[in-house]
Structure formats: C-alpha cells, structure tokens
Amino acid sequence: MGWAGVAWRDAEYELAVVDGASVSGRTFGGGEIGQLVEALHGCAGVVVDSTSGVLDGHLTAAGLAVFRADPWLLPDRPSFGSAAALALARRGAAGDLPRLTVASGALVGRHEEYASQVARCGPVERELAGRFLARGAVPGTAALTFDDGPDPRFTPQVLDILREHGVRASFFCVGINATAHPDLVARIAAEGHLVGNHTWSHPYLPDLTRDELLRQVDATNAALSTATGGAGDLVRPPYGGRTPDVLRWLAGHGMTTVLWDVDAGDWAAPGVATIADRVTGAVGDGSVVLLHDGGGDRTQTVAALPGILRTLLDRAYTFVTVDHYRSR
Ligand code: ZN
C-alpha cells in the first residue's frame, strides 16, 4: 500500500491512496476516526495539512508514519475543508515532509515561527483584556480545562472522575467531534461543566484566511448550540497559535479567547506521574490548567486525574469553570 492523504471536508474525512499509477479513495464520517485509522494500516506514510489537527494525534498514537504538508506546498483549499486528500498523498510520495510523532506534536518544524508570533501578541492581549484571559484572579480557585474532545472513549471517563469528586471543569470541544457525538456534548453541559469552542478541525489559526476562520468558529458554535441549546462566547485557539490579527478578529467577532497558565503537556503522553506533577507543582490562585480528553490516546490523562483532584482538593482549592475568570 502506497502513500495516503487524509482530508476533512464539512463533517467528513476523505482518504486517498496513491500506489504507483493506482489511486483509490474512501470517505468516513466524523465519528469514524477508528475505522479511518484501521484503513491506514500498512501504508508507507500518511499526510495531513495544518488545518487537520483533529486527526494527527489519533494517527501517531496508532503507530502510523504521519507527515504534515504546509499550505505553501499544496494547492488552494476550499473555505471549509483541508487540502484535497489526493494532493496530500501525492505530496507525501514526493518526499521531504516533517514527520509528526506523539512526542513532537503537530507543529514540528514550525516552533520558532509559533514562538515569534506568540511574542508579538503581548500588547494586543493587554488591550483586549475583557476579551482575552489566560489566568484568573480569584484566590483559592483553579479551573481545569479539557481540549480536543468530545471523544467516545475518554470523555465519559473524565466526566465520571469529575463527578465522583464533585468538580466542575471546562471542555473546549472540536466542532467535527461535537457534530459526531452531540450526546457527549449534551452530557458535559448537563453535568454542570462549561462547553467552549476549540474550532472545527483544530487548524493552526495563523495559516487560515479570514473566511476560513469565520467558518471554523461559527460552524463549531452551531454544533455546540445544537447539542446544548446554546453556545457561549469562549474560544480556545488550537496550540494557543495566534497572531495579533487573529486575536483582534476573534474579539471583533464577539468571542473571548481563553488560554492557560499551566500546561500539563499530556498530549505528548509523558507518563502519569509527570502529568500529575506538572499540574500540582505549578497550580496557583486562578490558574487555568490545560489538559486533553480527546485528540489521541488519553489513557495517561485519565489515570493522572484522580490524583490531581485529590491533591488540589486537599490544598482546599475550589474548582471553577473558566467563565468565573472574566474581567468585570
Ligand atoms: Zn487542542
């Protein structure tokens, strides 16, 4: 089996495989990531673009050889989809793309660009104070946040643990997942947690046009509204990837950007003890903690969570949802 490209379009995934002169393809529903991963076993490599972060953690966790092709290497995208699967597969066969692993994450090869764009955002973040937050100012409280779900395997386990400990949290959901699993989004909201917008397909926002950004945000708000009866105005940019323009656009669109001050780094599966230590070692008054209930194998996050909750409850923290940290 040759090179595979995986695309997203609306609420579906498209697979194309190029093997010498032969080309084949198949379509999967947004809830069929497991079947998609099965279909990829045996391929030489699988290529995604920088708008498809919803997928790469699942692909690397399955042990596949995963590569990212950036926009300047690809034909134009539709305004609500990634580059075409066939173009991705052909670009993979041509070689010389950065390889993604569980430990490297999706932005391998672009970390310097990421850091310089984030560094330029400081003044805008202060200017947008009412539409931007990374930490609260309420003594004795902390806010746990779970990104990249809902995921049918891990989100219910996280919800069960939170319920056992009487803890409320915030879930930044990916739209394509929310559309595939509206029952899970409804359960998150029904159990008193906050549901926020984590875009439709988990793109690196600095790569998007304004029109793409609009559709990523609005389609996700619509999916969350369908599942819960109403979407809030909180959005978390994938990877925290941002530019001054992106932050101003989100604020102008009525959205409040929520980042974090404590990063568990659980997406890289560094070990249960490391995840727990990073959180309990860094949490302070008003901390916003970044964890993940979807986007890959979250076994370690689920295993670390009870210990994190016990430790912080023993320190008399009250857990709040991130909307408690809006500036008033
Ligand atoms: Zn994310």
Side-chain angles (χ1 to χ4, degrees):
M1 185 172 161
W3 278 82
V6 180
W8 66 272
R9 186 173 298 238
D10 299 322
E12 290 187 328
Y13 299 112
E14 292 170 2
L15 165 63
V17 178
V18 173
D19 196 354
S22 103
V23 171
S24 58
R26 206 173 141 189
T27 300
F28 297 84
E32 295 181 321
I33 291 177
Q35 291 91 320
L36 170 62
V37 167
E38 282 294 307
L40 286 164
H41 278 297
C43 69
V46 52
V47 183
V48 295
D49 77 5
S50 68
T51 72
S52 307
V54 59
L55 281 173
D56 61 74
H58 292 281
L59 305 179
T60 54
L64 296 163
V66 182
F67 299 83
R68 187 194 69 240
D70 287 313
W72 51 89
L73 300 174
L74 296 166
D76 286 347
R77 302 181 296 266
S79 63
F80 198 50
S82 66
L86 185 56
L88 292 163
R90 289 201 164 122
R91 190 58 194 76
D96 201 28
L97 295 176
R99 180 166 176 176
L100 316 184
T101 65
V102 171
S104 78
L107 294 183
V108 65
R110 299 187 70 179
H111 287 119
E112 276 182 33
E113 173 194 346
Y114 168 89
S116 77
Q117 282 164 333
V118 166
R120 287 196 297 125
C121 289
V124 181
E125 289 167 9
R126 287 185 286 280
E127 169 194 318
L128 295 177
R131 286 278 178 201
F132 176 90
L133 73 89
R135 185 168 186 171
V138 186
T141 70
L144 299 182
T145 64
F146 295 91
D147 287 10
D148 298 1
D151 180 293
R153 181 168 166 210
F154 298 107
T155 305
Q157 298 182 60
V158 168
L159 288 170
D160 288 349
I161 294 166
L162 293 174
R163 185 162 58 186
E164 280 162 28
H165 292 79
V167 165
R168 287 186 181 182
S170 305
F171 289 76
F172 286 92
C173 297
V174 172
I176 199 166
N177 292 339
T179 296
H181 307 289
D183 51 322
L184 286 175
V185 183
R187 181 179 163 193
I188 292 168
E191 296 188 6
H193 306 293
L194 181 143
V195 174
N197 184 323
H198 197 38
T199 73
W200 184 261
S201 68
H202 209 280
Y204 183 54
L205 296 186
D207 282 353
L208 300 190
T209 64
R210 291 294 173 89
D211 189 42
E212 287 180 301
L213 186 54
L214 173 71
R215 298 195 67 169
Q216 287 273 343
V217 171
D218 282 3
T220 303
N221 278 342
L224 300 178
S225 281
T226 299
T228 67
D233 67 335
L234 301 181
V235 62
R236 172 167 280 166
Y239 321 106
R242 57 201 189 270
T243 64
D245 267 3
V246 165
L247 291 177
R248 283 201 194 93
W249 185 91
L250 288 169
H253 195 56
M255 302 299 289
T256 296
T257 296
V258 180
L259 295 177
W260 58 84
D261 68 300
V262 177
D263 183 356
D266 60 327
W267 54 268
V272 175
T274 300
I275 293 169
D277 291 350
R278 280 180 187 160
V279 175
T280 58
V283 163
D285 288 338
S287 277
V288 178
V289 180
L290 173 61
L291 291 157
H292 294 82
D293 65 320
D297 182 352
R298 302 303 172 224
T299 306
Q300 293 183 6
T301 308
V302 168
L305 188 55
I308 291 170
L309 296 179
R310 277 194 303 273
T311 300
L312 297 180
L313 289 168
D314 282 350
R315 288 191 211 155
Y317 273 97
T318 300
F319 289 99
V320 298
T321 50
V322 285
D323 53 324
H324 283 71
Y325 292 157
R326 288 172 186 278
S327 49
R328 293 159 213 279

